Amino acid sequence: MSTPLRLGIAGLGTVGSSVLRLLAGNRSTASTRAGRPIVVTAVSARDRTRDRGVDLSEVAFHADPVDLARDPNVDVVVELIGGASGAAEAVVRAALDLGKPVVTANKALLARHGVELARLAEDRGVALAFEAAVAGGIPVIKTLKESLAGNRISRVYGILNGTCNYILTRMERESLTFDVCLRDAQALGYAEADPTFDVEGYDTAHKLSILASLAFGTEIDADAIYVEGISSITLADILAADELGYRIKLLGIARLTETGVEARVHPTMVPKSSAVARTDGVLNAVALDGDAVGEIVLVGPGAGGNATASSVIADVVDVARGGVIPAFGRPTAQLEPYVRAEIQTHTGGYYVRMLVYDRPGALAAIATRMAEHGISLESIVQRRRAPRQEAPTTAVPVDPQPLVMITYATRETAIRDALRLIEQDGHIASTPKLIRIEDL
Amino acid sequence: MSTPLRLGIAGLGTVGSSVLRLLAGNRSTASTRAGRPIVVTAVSARDRTRDRGVDLSEVAFHADPVDLARDPNVDVVVELIGGASGAAEAVVRAALDLGKPVVTANKALLARHGVELARLAEDRGVALAFEAAVAGGIPVIKTLKESLAGNRISRVYGILNGTCNYILTRMERESLTFDVCLRDAQALGYAEADPTFDVEGYDTAHKLSILASLAFGTEIDADAIYVEGISSITLADILAADELGYRIKLLGIARLTETGVEARVHPTMVPKSSAVARTDGVLNAVALDGDAVGEIVLVGPGAGGNATASSVIADVVDVARGGVIPAFGRPTAQLEPYVRAEIQTHTGGYYVRMLVYDRPGALAAIATRMAEHGISLESIVQRRRAPRQEAPTTAVPVDPQPLVMITYATRETAIRDALRLIEQDGHIASTPKLIRIEDL
């Protein structure tokens, strides 16, 4: 075997500790695969003394991660601190500046500074690798960069956030409310004390921005992604979806259209028969549509220390083998500017749920508004809440009744305009709920 | 861009023609990803004149593929002839001998001569790449060699033959017999005129032998794989499986056990909720169990010209980028000898279906034989063929009735011994049907 590859690991949280343990336990596996020994020579962490289950007595400790990057006994920096700036950004820049390859799991940093950091890595001729940044243990980055290199990718979509998928799965399986499931997710450590970042879709958007760049060869623009979270999803929506043959999943979807990249994160109605519909709990699933291969779906653990560490080590082994593939699959100079297709131009089916006052003419008025906007309905379901209730004999409003409609493909602007007018017409009790349907 | 990479393609059948078209149509994509132009400079095929939808007037034609390997304008040989020996073997050996990298889709050649060819490639310091040899467009080879490099793999299994999966899916969905579905598969071009190689499981065994070597770091021994095909599967089995919560799939399964590698290909009962159970038609699915990552499942097209060509081009782009990873993930000298765990030592659940003479004591005798061999039953289903039929009042045998049992985990030798004795006891009308259940 040739020279050892010496790692410096910045950040020893769940993933960092797993990387340490896996390299200790599986050293021969990773080293055999790499064709050379892989050793950890330095670490940096906030708490020096915590037990990570591995003997660190022979490993240098740096209070400042930038010092770890500068350590002459460190060949490669593994950044597992997290965050779009601060210490994470500093150590990555320092390492690349010194011509040291970087392996990172930091989606926020990449979504914000990815292209700039890729350019720096390119200037120094070293790798910037980030398999662990998207979908945990699932090798989606490598599949996009390498396995589908002969394909034009038309769409990438998937379940990229295990917290949201856990909540939606439990709501559906146990008929629980969002709030109850969120609290359980927090108790189990699947969701943070402040769950906004996960449940409002921002985490998914960061990951999607990276996938879109790799898929379409464009620069990253995390701000250009349309984002809706799952906190507005009710049990009524989930039950109505079930009845109509759908499940509701938080998807990140990026599609190449004639006007640019349409990238969106929102609760999505997916046919029960689709692979993403059947991806439950904290699993992630990513589907890649290529012109040659058709559709490939990758399913696996999207989070967790060991699964994420598996991806970190895969990147380290690639570095040890000596390959340097551009961070986003092509030189940064060849990345095209990101042209955003606005959500208003999105065309697809929609699920609409509204509470309608139960009086003559209401349904006709609603149907007329839809027709005026050229919207055809695939199905419509209205059931009285109390079964066997008699039809109202007077025009006096009773409790508003839920009305669920599925539209054929229509333009986002058309459905939004129609719903605004329906609301103004006064036949419905509150703002309609709109959930996009994805053709899978 | 730097020097072009010049390909010689040996074999212009469905896959070869797709490679030509994709490189012509998507040249910029593959070349951009590769960082250099990829061009086809020479081809070899039986029929020189057939139209492949691409202008070959500037491309050298070699009647003998070995001449293509020797062509000084060929940097890389793409072997798409097929077959475990003959022209395919000759062109691959010639190319490697000359120090030219080889990309091949030839599972039979690899199953037979893989390690030897890998050694030759290693001696010459060039790549021998074969993503397209297993599961068509699904990147399972790269995932095993690279993405899971930090994992010890405990099991690899999957649906690796689209022909068999098409037949089983149609039998189940449309309640058709094996023969009818096979004839349709032949009419659609999914099955050969002589379907033995596919339906008897040999194709799956070749692919599994390659996956097992990559997963466990062992030499290939295609002959060590236990093989049963699907031609004995009846509609009755499929319906009984359905009733018990299972589907029947032809799986290739390789598992690392204490006594060696257990590798087997056979019709398998899989829980309906599993990812492989829901992989229908000509799709393939491969699951990889690693100690760090847990389980990853890859689903996609396992055959077809374009999907397979996608994998060929991925390998070509890897070669163009200059990486040389050992063919089986580690140097051949580090591959361990293949130690075979015999099917007799297999332990798992079993589905047993037998036709029992309907007379007093038959069931008791059968249950006693099972108990004598330490076999516990998870479920047992006996239904008279004609519902509402009266219980027989005499001991005279009527038509034998089907009896279906699901066992808890038991050893293959135990169940086989028990069934042999049950057959000898004379209570059943024919040899029992045995289908293994896989814990997924």
Side-chain angles (χ1 to χ4, degrees), chain A residues 2-8 30 33-38 74-78 96 99-104 121 125-131 142 145-146 311-325, chain B residues 146 149 325:
Chain A
S2 47
T3 352
L5 185 77
R6 299 169 305 172
L7 307 189
R33 296 282 186 178
R36 57 194 283 205
I38 293 171
V74 166
D75 302 319
V76 180
V77 169
V78 177
L96 293 176
K100 297 187 181 184
V102 169
V103 172
T104 176
V126 295
L128 169 63
F130 45 82
E131 184 65 82
K142 186 177 277 279
K145 278 171 73 167
E146 304 178 30
S311 286
V312 169
I313 293 174
D315 280 346
V316 168
V317 170
D318 277 352
V319 168
R321 280 166 169 161
V324 181
I325 298 175
Chain B
E146 304 178 29
I325 297 176

Side-chain angles (χ1 to χ4, degrees), chain A residues 202-370:
Chain A
Y202 302 115
D203 173 74
T204 300
H206 280 165
K207 294 165 178 168
L208 184 64
S209 71
I210 296 169
L211 293 183
S213 172
L214 283 160
F216 310 130
T218 55
E219 292 176 357
I220 288 186
D221 187 353
D223 297 330
I225 294 177
Y226 174 83
V227 184
E228 262 177 53
I230 62 165
S231 58
S232 68
I233 297 297
T234 64
L235 203 47
D237 296 323
I238 286 182
L239 296 175
D242 181 63
E243 192 177 345
L244 293 159
Y246 292 94
R247 284 190 176 141
I248 300 177
K249 295 291 187 185
L250 182 74
L251 294 192
I253 304 165
R255 210 165 58 84
L256 203 57
T257 73
E258 283 177 11
T259 57
V261 176
E262 181 184 294
R264 48 201 163 86
V265 173
H266 52 69
T268 312
M269 306 268 283
V270 294
K272 280 184 189 173
S273 60
S274 61
V276 288
R278 298 174 306 195
T279 299
D280 286 333
V282 294
L283 287 180
N284 278 196
V286 191
L288 310 168
D289 296 348
D291 62 346
V293 77
E295 183 163 289
I296 299 270
V297 183
L298 315 176
V299 182
N306 282 343
T308 308
S310 167
S311 286
V312 169
I313 293 174
D315 280 346
V316 168
V317 170
D318 277 352
V319 168
R321 280 166 169 161
V324 181
I325 298 175
F328 292 97
R330 63 188 74 195
T332 50
Q334 290 173 34
L335 290 173
E336 288 169 30
Y338 185 96
V339 179
R340 168 185 186 166
E342 298 293 335
I343 189 75
Q344 286 77 9
T345 67
H346 171 67
T347 299
Y350 292 83
Y351 156 99
V352 181
R353 185 171 178 280
M354 46 181 99
L355 289 173
V356 182
Y357 290 118
D358 200 0
R359 55 194 176 201
L363 185 58
I366 291 166
T368 302
R369 289 300 188 195
M370 292 300 217

Side-chain angles (χ1 to χ4, degrees), chain A residues 33 142 146 151 214 310, chain B residues 33 142 146 151 214 297 310:
Chain A
R33 296 282 186 178
K142 186 177 277 279
E146 304 178 30
N151 287 258
L214 283 160
S310 167
Chain B
R33 296 283 187 178
K142 188 178 275 280
E146 304 178 29
N151 287 257
L214 284 160
V297 183
S310 168

Side-chain angles (χ1 to χ4, degrees), chain A residues 1 22 25-35 131 137-139 142-153 213-217 247 273 275 278-280 283 291-301 306-311 313-315 317-318 321 325-326 328-331 334, chain B residues 1 22 25-35 131 137-139 142-153 213-217 247 273 275 278-280 283 291-301 306-311 313-315 317-318 321 325-326 328-331 334:
Chain A
M1 288 228 185
L22 284 169
N26 272 16
R27 184 176 300 179
S28 63
T29 302
S31 299
T32 304
R33 296 282 186 178
E131 184 65 82
I138 303 176
K142 186 177 277 279
T143 298
L144 271 174
K145 278 171 73 167
E146 304 178 30
S147 299
L148 301 186
N151 287 258
R152 286 179 205 277
I153 309 292
S213 172
L214 283 160
F216 310 130
R247 284 190 176 141
S273 60
R278 298 174 306 195
T279 299
D280 286 333
L283 287 180
D291 62 346
V293 77
E295 183 163 289
I296 299 270
V297 183
L298 315 176
V299 182
N306 282 343
T308 308
S310 167
S311 286
I313 293 174
D315 280 346
V317 170
D318 277 352
R321 280 166 169 161
I325 298 175
F328 292 97
R330 63 188 74 195
Q334 290 173 34
Chain B
M1 289 231 184
L22 284 168
N26 273 17
R27 185 175 299 179
S28 64
T29 301
S31 300
T32 305
R33 296 283 187 178
E131 185 65 82
I138 303 176
K142 188 178 275 280
T143 298
L144 271 174
K145 277 171 74 168
E146 304 178 29
S147 299
L148 301 186
N151 287 257
R152 284 179 205 277
I153 308 295
S213 172
L214 284 160
F216 309 130
R247 282 187 178 144
S273 60
R278 298 174 307 195
T279 300
D280 286 334
L283 288 181
D291 61 346
V293 77
E295 182 162 290
I296 300 269
V297 183
L298 314 176
V299 182
N306 282 344
T308 308
S310 168
S311 286
I313 292 173
D315 281 344
V317 170
D318 277 351
R321 280 167 169 162
I325 297 176
F328 292 96
R330 63 188 73 196
Q334 289 173 34

Side-chain angles (χ1 to χ4, degrees), chain A residues 102-125:
Chain A
V102 169
V103 172
T104 176
N106 191 333
K107 55 207 170 271
L109 176 68
L110 292 162
R112 187 63 55 202
H113 303 293
V115 176
E116 198 189 330
L117 294 173
R119 202 173 289 125
L120 181 55
E122 209 171 288
D123 283 347
R124 300 298 190 273

